[in-house]
Amino acid sequence: MADLDTPRSAFPVTRMRRMRRDDFSRRMMRENTLTPDDLIYPVFVLDGSGEREPVESMPGVERLSIDLLVEEAREVHRLGIPVMALFPVTPTAAKSLDAREAYNPDGIAQRAVRALKDAVPELGIMTDVALDPFTTHGQDGLIDEEGYVMNEPTVEVLVRQAVSHAEAGVDIVAPSDMMDGRIGAVRTALEAGGHIHTRIMAYSAKYASSYYGPFRDALGTAGNLGKGNKYTYQMDPANSNEAIHEVALDLDEGADMVMVKPGMPYLDIVRRVKDQFGAPTFVYQVSGEYAMLKAASMNGWLDEKAVVLEAMVSMKRAGADGILTYFSKDIARWLAE
């Protein structure tokens, strides 16, 4: 087969538009195809029963209590989406400096995992492993007297959190905290506990992005973080080589899959990661990306279905094996039309 450097016949012998003329021929040469198998649906779970709270900065997204989340899971499974990712909304009274609620066996995430695996065992369940929902200051780890997030003490709590999720029956733990060495520590603890089938999706290249605002509103951490930032552990948006180093370390430490976050502003990173490692590579279309597309569509400035599907295909084209997106259910329905 000729490579891309092979000389081509000149116009009019070669007319590139021939293959674009009809739908059938466009489909024949389509290089990337989107299916529901490519989707992971992130959801926010809160305490109580029959509770449903809209997220103001993310139209169409709701926080759901576990009983309603079970019904949501049944629909997600029916639509062919393989995985649902849980993010717990922690009551203020349960937050602390040591984030001990993170590994409470009866915490919201742990109870949600048990309920979901009991109701829809075929649906993959993924849990966030990070401490920001559980700290009074909104940082992803334990802090010292100067407010600096301490690495090793944080990793110790993250390990306890990940093991508690595995004990609840979760399929995938997803450390999103960006502490050094946490993947190796989590993998060692899972193996020691007999959780040899628990997969790790490492948020390996998580950038200190300004696109996370609506997510923090949904999770209830924005007020805790205040004017603080996460620059000392999340990656500098200006860096690319550093992401490759981070991914390499996480794969060496035992990650089964790696994540790039956010999505569209960082597709160059997705491509580099996929080309360099060939490992299962995922991307997160984050809350700010969702909110922008949703707002523009609601105002009639963009065609929601068209731009969302285009965004998804761009992520597949960049090399992503799967995409976390709040549009997952809509996309699955559109693909079925």
Side-chain angles (χ1 to χ4, degrees):
M1 183 177 178
D3 61 34
L4 294 178
D5 295 325
T6 301
R8 303 282 173 164
S9 299
F11 176 86
V13 173
T14 297
R15 290 180 180 266
M16 296 296 290
R17 291 181 58 195
R18 283 195 199 105
M19 288 296 289
R20 300 179 195 143
R21 183 178 185 275
D22 296 300
D23 178 68
F24 80 85
S25 53
R26 290 193 297 270
R27 287 160 50 204
M28 286 175 64
M29 69 171 186
R30 188 160 292 150
E31 297 172 30
N32 294 280
T33 303
L34 182 70
T35 78
D37 291 338
D38 298 314
L39 305 173
I40 297 175
Y41 184 43
V43 294
F44 301 102
V45 55
L46 46 72
D47 219 344
S49 178
E51 296 291 329
R52 183 187 299 272
E53 297 177 356
V55 179
E56 187 173 342
S57 55
M58 299 176 70
V61 174
E62 298 177 309
R63 309 175 191 93
L64 299 174
S65 55
I66 294 173
D67 56 326
L68 298 183
L69 190 63
V70 166
E71 297 306 311
E72 185 87 338
R74 291 193 174 103
E75 181 183 12
V76 168
H77 180 56
R78 181 182 59 79
L79 288 169
I81 298 167
V83 178
M84 197 159 73
L86 305 184
F87 296 92
V89 181
T90 307
T92 300
K95 298 185 180 187
S96 62
L97 286 172
D98 60 5
R100 59 186 176 275
E101 183 65 16
Y103 51 86
N104 178 359
D106 292 316
I108 297 171
Q110 291 83 349
R111 284 185 281 121
V113 168
R114 289 194 291 268
L116 291 167
K117 293 308 296 183
D118 182 61
V120 195
E122 303 88 357
L123 179 66
I125 302 298
M126 184 169 88
T127 49
D128 185 47
V129 175
L131 304 187
D132 51 328
F134 309 99
T135 58
T136 51
H137 44 70
Q139 295 287 356
D140 290 43
L142 309 186
I143 60 173
D144 63 17
E145 60 277 3
E146 296 179 353
Y148 182 76
V149 175
M150 301 179 289
N151 199 90
E152 281 80 348
T154 296
V155 170
E156 291 179 11
V157 181
L158 293 170
V159 167
R160 297 181 72 174
Q161 182 185 24
V163 170
S164 76
H165 292 177
E167 290 173 344
V170 81
D171 300 294
I172 307 168
V173 292
S176 65
D177 55 284
M178 290 299 288
M179 296 297 112
D180 292 333
R182 90 276 203 214
I183 300 302
V186 168
R187 174 58 73 203
T188 298
L190 291 174
E191 290 288 321
H195 305 293
I196 63 172
H197 303 302
T198 306
R199 304 152 186 87
I200 297 177
M201 180 184 287
Y203 285 58
S204 299
K206 182 178 180 180
Y207 284 84
S209 172
S210 298
Y211 285 87
Y212 300 150
F215 176 89
R216 292 171 183 164
D217 290 340
L219 210 58
T221 61
N224 299 104
L225 187 62
K227 294 183 179 180
N229 61 64
K230 303 187 178 185
Y231 299 157
T232 67
Y233 48 98
Q234 294 179 359
M235 283 186 53
D236 185 336
N239 293 353
S240 175
N241 292 334
E242 183 185 11
I244 302 305
H245 193 181
E246 287 277 11
V247 170
L249 288 169
D250 285 352
L251 289 172
D252 286 346
E253 290 177 21
D256 301 290
M257 302 164 272
V258 295
M259 170 78 74
V260 176
K261 181 180 179 182
M264 285 185 70
Y266 295 88
L267 294 187
D268 60 315
I269 308 301
V270 176
R271 171 48 60 195
R272 286 198 65 187
V273 168
K274 193 62 179 178
D275 287 347
Q276 180 82 19
F277 301 103
T281 303
F282 292 77
V283 65
Y284 199 145
Q285 185 188 49
V286 298
S287 59
E289 298 175 76
Y290 172 87
M292 289 191 300
L293 292 178
K294 198 72 175 178
S297 300
M298 291 172 67
N299 276 284
W301 300 332
L302 293 173
D303 178 326
E304 181 174 346
K305 176 182 175 181
V307 295
V308 170
L309 292 178
E310 184 176 341
M312 295 299 106
V313 170
S314 76
M315 294 176 190
K316 288 293 298 291
R317 190 180 66 242
D321 296 292
I323 305 156
L324 277 81
T325 173
Y326 302 95
F327 287 110
S328 289
K329 291 197 302 179
D330 293 324
I331 293 166
R333 294 188 189 105
W334 291 333
L335 294 175
E337 291 176 354

